[in-house]
Amino acid sequence: MADGEGIIQAAAVELLTAPHGGKRRIAERLADQLGVSVQTAYRRLNSVTGHLTQRKRRVDAGASALQRHEAMAISAYIEATRRETGTGAATLEDAVEVLRANGVIAAGRVDTDTGEFLPLSASQVRRQLRLHSAHPEQLAVATPAARLSSPHPNWCWQIDASVSRQYYLSDDGTRIMDRRTYYRGKPKNFAAIEQQRIWRYAVTDHASGGLEVFYVQGAESSANFLAALIHTMTERSDGTMHGVPRYLMSDPGSAVTAKATRNLCSALGIELIVNEPGNARAKGQVEQAHYLIETGFESGLKMRAPVCSIEEMNGLVQPWARHFNATRVHSRTGLTRRDAWLRITSDQLVFAPEVPVLRQLANSDPKACTVRDWMIRFRGRMYDLRDIPGGVNNGERVEVVRNAIDADNGTVRVLRLDADGRAMHYLAPEVGVGEFGFLDSAAEIGTEFKAPPATAADTVRNEIDRLAMAAATDAEAKARRKAKALPFGGSIDPLKHVHEAQIIPALPRAGRASDVLAPEILQPQAAPAATARYTAPVLSHLELAQHLRERMPGWTAAHFAALAEAWPDGATEDQLEQIERRLAALLAPAMRAVG
């Protein structure tokens, strides 16, 4: 042990006086003598001498060479050059070069020993952007989705349409589109089967997770949308989920914005909640339902004979949906979807009217009624409007719809717009009737909405947007971007570095002249114009006979035979009079003999 310590101390003294590059050999020799690794030998030497063989830590270590405003400017330039599709953005190297040329950033440091300016490399800038949470990859992360809740079943339904896995229904059954035939380059092939395509409508109950499926054919239209909604609301022997929901969430498609859809929902007291375009995850539950239907039901259709009608498709999927809701446990509730939906109370379950009534409501329009002394006349009855929030004025016209759910309670629904521009339904009781239950304010779902806290990416993204648009607020930046304002107020020239670059002109090169001779060009001489002469066309025997039959009553086969014999090559139209006289002279004796 003592010998080992002596060897280490001797090596340590030698290490302190060793020239540059010789310390490694001393450590390797000590490692061989002690039978340890080189790293262990370094640690033994350091424990004796306290000499650190590693490079000294810089005094500015840990400090960012790229200032925050520089990082923001680089990221803002990259995002400003990006296409709407998310592609085509400028590279980091180009962004740094352009901004340096325009004097916006320095992106470098000054050597304190020599005074030399050292620009940061692209890799260093990339690392510095991550330290400031401004790297394009950090900004591209999705914003956390807001969590939504429903107090009970039938509070909110989600509905969505998607093309079925079977794609289209031909004369001999369902077919799957072949990628070699149906692709973007052949739109006519899609148009040929447009009316045969199979669409799947999935409807889910937000509270229980229950799902219903309804297949239609053709396209995503308001008629198909209403057919799926009416099917789900109607009480069925092979289903569990039914009734009228309080809220209905859907995509902003034409089927939802159609007048028939809004009229039906208005009459039933359903408030439509339409998510923003491109934000499909706002109704992620029904999007997941499509996946469950595809994998659980439609995948098995390949194991049986092709389905030959939409009725057969719906007849097959209804038992599957009933079995799925009754047997699959939902991870959120810990219950099957059917058991969770069955927790609905009598006050929460509103039965839908009969199917004929629903169809009539879908096709009816609201009626405008004039207010007189706080009352309106609708279908021969008077209704009181004194309890409508905000009040009404004499002579004001309000829109009224027939109350399909509460038709026997003597009320009508008055359509009004709240402060946010959303359509609200208020019950107006019949004059002389007692108290009635009014619709609750739809503000309940709005007061319980809690937006998720902004992440660092959200904050930086908004800051970059304001910087790029030279705006003070997010709204101002959004308005300027919508108005196609130039980023940075148009102060940045993306080609400034090109114009100011000192490029040495290329020296001319020696060569020889081309020996190719151009051909002579002769001016064309105009040829004398020929005098056009009209030549009457020659008519065939058949054409001549058609003309002569009208001129000579009693035309017979003998006339035709004489015509063909006398004029074997046909004749022109101006010879018809001559032919008529000659035929009359030739056939006159024969006609008298016959007579």
Side-chain angles (χ1 to χ4, degrees):
M1 186 69 179
D3 294 339
E5 293 179 355
I7 295 174
I8 295 174
Q9 291 178 357
V13 173
E14 186 179 359
L15 185 68
L16 294 175
T17 59
H20 180 72
K23 298 178 181 180
R24 177 74 180 183
R25 290 192 298 270
I26 296 174
E28 291 176 348
R29 186 176 70 247
L30 178 62
D32 292 338
Q33 293 174 349
L34 299 179
V36 296
S37 64
V38 178
Q39 289 78 8
T40 303
Y42 272 119
R43 287 196 296 270
R44 297 282 183 87
L45 290 171
N46 290 337
S47 63
V48 174
T49 65
H51 178 75
L52 300 177
T53 58
Q54 291 82 2
R55 188 171 58 182
K56 290 184 178 180
R57 180 177 176 87
R58 286 173 39 181
V59 294
D60 61 344
S64 175
L66 187 71
Q67 301 300 319
R68 177 176 174 80
H69 72 274
E70 295 179 326
M72 297 296 103
I74 294 172
S75 294
Y77 184 88
I78 295 175
E79 294 301 322
T81 58
R82 192 181 304 278
R83 293 180 180 177
E84 296 294 335
T85 58
T87 60
T91 62
L92 185 140
E93 291 83 358
D94 291 342
V96 173
E97 186 176 6
V98 170
L99 295 177
R100 274 177 179 158
N102 285 269
V104 178
I105 64 171
R109 62 182 181 87
V110 178
D111 192 330
T112 56
D113 296 333
T114 63
E116 181 184 3
F117 176 77
L118 303 176
L120 297 178
S121 64
S123 60
Q124 291 174 321
V125 172
R126 193 172 286 109
R127 287 194 298 269
Q128 295 295 324
L129 287 179
R130 290 190 179 275
L131 292 177
H132 292 290
S133 300
H135 193 277
E137 293 180 357
Q138 294 174 306
L139 301 178
V141 298
T143 302
R147 298 288 182 174
L148 301 177
S149 64
S150 295
H152 57 75
N154 281 18
W155 176 263
C156 178
W157 285 3
Q158 296 181 2
I159 183 171
D160 185 61
S162 179
V163 177
S164 169
R165 185 171 175 172
Q166 301 300 307
Y167 290 117
Y168 73 99
L169 186 64
S170 64
D171 295 337
D172 56 351
T174 53
R175 293 287 186 87
I176 296 177
M177 289 191 295
D178 190 351
R179 292 185 178 180
R180 296 171 295 182
T181 305
Y182 302 97
Y183 60 95
R184 185 171 55 183
K186 293 186 178 181
K188 292 183 178 179
N189 293 343
F190 285 97
I193 62 168
E194 183 177 1
Q195 298 303 320
Q196 296 176 306
R197 298 180 72 178
I198 301 176
W199 287 78
R200 174 185 63 245
Y201 277 90
V203 186
T204 61
D205 177 69
H206 189 249
S208 64
L211 63 88
E212 292 294 335
V213 194
F214 191 76
Y215 288 98
V216 295
Q217 192 172 0
E220 188 180 0
S221 62
S222 60
N224 288 334
F225 181 93
L226 292 174
L229 182 60
I230 291 174
H231 164 80
T232 308
M233 289 192 299
T234 306
E235 188 174 6
R236 306 169 307 281
S237 59
D238 57 352
T240 304
M241 189 172 106
H242 65 277
V244 179
R246 179 72 177 277
Y247 300 96
L248 184 65
M249 299 181 66
S250 181
D251 284 332
S254 59
V256 179
T257 58
K259 198 170 186 179
T261 303
R262 294 194 173 273
N263 287 343
L264 174 66
C265 294
S266 297
L268 296 177
I270 302 174
E271 182 174 344
L272 283 171
I273 300 177
V274 181
N275 59 267
E276 296 181 358
N279 188 24
R281 64 176 183 169
K283 50 178 185 50
Q285 185 186 67
V286 74
E287 300 291 345
Q288 177 66 13
H290 282 301
Y291 171 77
L292 297 175
I293 298 168
E294 285 185 8
T295 56
F297 171 69
E298 293 182 359
S299 61
L301 295 180
K302 296 183 67 175
M303 304 300 170
R304 67 182 308 278
V307 180
C308 297
S309 66
I310 291 295
E311 292 75 16
E312 186 179 358
M313 281 283 291
N314 286 320
L316 293 174
V317 75
Q318 297 307 318
W320 175 87
R322 181 182 184 185
H323 176 270
F324 183 87
N325 289 328
T327 58
R328 298 297 179 90
V329 176
H330 198 286
S331 59
R332 173 170 48 81
T333 63
L335 303 171
T336 64
R337 290 161 171 82
R338 185 193 65 177
D339 293 344
W341 189 89
L342 289 175
R343 290 190 171 187
I344 191 170
T345 64
S346 59
D347 296 334
Q348 299 164 355
L349 177 58
V350 179
F351 292 104
E354 299 294 333
V355 174
V357 177
L358 292 175
R359 292 183 179 274
Q360 180 181 359
L361 293 174
N363 297 325
S364 62
D365 292 332
K367 180 182 178 182
C369 299
T370 304
V371 179
R372 290 288 182 267
D373 298 330
W374 295 97
M375 292 181 292
I376 57 172
R377 181 179 293 276
F378 181 74
R379 294 190 176 184
R381 297 183 181 180
M382 301 297 293
Y383 295 90
D384 191 356
L385 304 184
R386 286 177 297 180
D387 293 333
I388 291 183
V392 292
N393 299 321
N394 270 346
E396 181 182 352
R397 296 179 65 84
V398 295
E399 290 188 334
V400 182
V401 295
R402 187 168 70 91
N403 192 339
I405 299 177
D406 301 324
D408 296 333
N409 294 338
T411 59
V412 293
R413 295 180 185 269
V414 179
L415 278 63
R416 303 280 287 177
L417 297 179
D418 64 0
D420 297 329
R422 295 182 301 178
M424 304 295 294
H425 297 251
Y426 297 99
L427 292 179
E430 186 176 353
V431 175
V433 180
E435 296 182 354
F436 294 91
F438 291 90
L439 284 178
D440 297 331
S441 174
E444 180 174 348
I445 195 171
T447 56
E448 294 180 353
F449 174 79
K450 298 180 181 179
T455 63
D458 294 331
T459 304
V460 172
R461 188 186 295 112
N462 294 335
E463 182 180 352
I464 288 174
D465 196 30
R466 294 193 302 270
L467 178 61
M469 291 292 104
T473 63
D474 295 339
E476 183 181 355
K478 184 178 181 180
R480 292 187 178 183
R481 185 176 296 277
K482 186 176 181 180
K484 305 298 182 182
L486 290 177
F488 297 96
S491 61
I492 293 182
D493 180 8
L495 298 179
K496 186 175 181 180
H497 64 291
V498 176
H499 302 319
E500 296 179 355
Q502 301 296 328
I503 301 177
I504 301 175
L507 297 176
R509 293 292 183 266
R512 60 183 180 86
S514 174
D515 55 0
V516 177
L517 298 178
E520 295 184 7
I521 300 176
L522 299 178
Q523 296 294 336
Q525 298 181 358
T531 304
R533 299 180 62 186
Y534 174 78
T535 303
V538 178
L539 304 178
S540 63
H541 298 141
L542 183 59
E543 294 173 335
L544 290 171
Q546 292 176 350
H547 288 286
L548 292 170
R549 186 181 294 110
E550 299 175 357
R551 302 167 66 103
M552 300 177 65
W555 180 272
T556 63
H559 289 79
F560 187 87
L563 173 64
E565 182 178 0
W567 288 273
D569 298 328
T572 60
E573 188 175 357
D574 54 0
Q575 294 178 281
L576 288 176
E577 186 176 354
Q578 177 187 353
I579 296 172
E580 181 182 358
R581 291 196 303 269
R582 185 168 179 181
L583 290 179
L586 289 174
L587 298 178
M591 297 297 290
R592 288 194 297 272
V594 172

